[in-house]
Amino acid sequence: MNQLSTAEAVNSLIQELNKLPGIGPKSAQRLTYYLLRAPEEQARLLAEAILSVKQETILCSLCHNVADSDPCPICGSDERDRSKICIVEQPQDIMALEHTRIYNGLYHVLHGAISPTEGVGADDIKIKELMERLQGSSVEEVILATNPNLEGEQTAMYLNKLISPLGIRVTRLARGLPFGTELEYADDVTLTRAIEGRQEF
Ligand SMILES: [Zn+2]
């Protein structure tokens, strides 16, 4: 891609964008030339937003969601139902679930899923933190909302084994979600049905 006919700065931006998930070389080129023509203000705002997301966010010490305060607005809210914790793999899954407005409990972000093939074990994700959180808490239900794929199912099974002996009700999202998909890409209607139709694990 390093063509002599192209300015170095252009090549460099194409290369960086190409490293992003879902952005192939063609899209990287299109975005680069779009930004080249866009007002400087727009490019500056984008650059600043990228830096801010790295420099100005923290993880909530309770739910491990990405936030700008600790506890995050959900953990700190008086209006959330503290008897329920929904377990998700990634912060963006919370965004998807919140968008449905159907769920009013708390969350816990694992930051991954157990995957022996990729060398991710139970100790590599926020399971210990979850168990500490559940000990002596008033939580009555844990909803396992890990992705409906192999890793997500393995993680859900593992968590069920750990949590059900605590006398906490463990549920799993309903099977409306096609196997192999990821929560963050599910539409609101499918997600709402999956939460409403959740079943005992
Ligand atoms: Zn939180």
Side-chain angles (χ1 to χ4, degrees), residues 111-126:
H111 290 276
I114 296 173
S115 172
T117 51
E118 285 175 39
V120 182
D123 294 341
D124 299 316
I125 57 177
K126 307 275 183 201

Side-chain angles (χ1 to χ4, degrees), residues 91-192:
Q92 54 266 42
D93 300 333
I94 294 186
M95 282 178 83
L97 288 162
E98 284 294 287
H99 198 255
T100 68
R101 298 171 172 274
I102 192 78
Y103 177 71
N104 192 41
L106 303 177
Y107 292 97
H108 188 90
V109 186
L110 295 172
H111 290 276
I114 296 173
S115 172
T117 51
E118 285 175 39
V120 182
D123 294 341
D124 299 316
I125 57 177
K126 307 275 183 201
I127 290 182
K128 184 166 60 75
E129 290 82 351
L130 171 66
M131 298 315 290
E132 281 167 8
R133 205 177 156 194
L134 292 176
Q135 297 290 343
S137 74
S138 55
V139 174
E140 292 164 16
E141 180 184 357
V142 165
I143 302 160
L144 301 175
T146 49
N147 287 326
N149 54 27
L150 192 60
E151 292 79 18
E153 291 297 338
Q154 280 172 342
T155 308
M157 273 191 275
Y158 183 85
L159 289 174
N160 181 46
K161 254 186 241 162
L162 286 182
I163 298 168
S164 46
L166 303 177
I168 296 171
R169 182 180 174 216
V170 181
T171 56
R172 179 84 172 112
L173 291 187
R175 305 267 162 195
L177 299 160
F179 191 82
T181 54
E182 289 179 20
L183 223 61
E184 63 174 301
Y185 301 118
D187 63 89
D188 281 0
V189 176
T190 308
L191 265 184
T192 299

Side-chain angles (χ1 to χ4, degrees), residues 60 62-65 71-72 74-75:
C60 170
L62 296 170
C63 70
H64 302 277
N65 188 17
C72 72
I74 293 177
C75 290

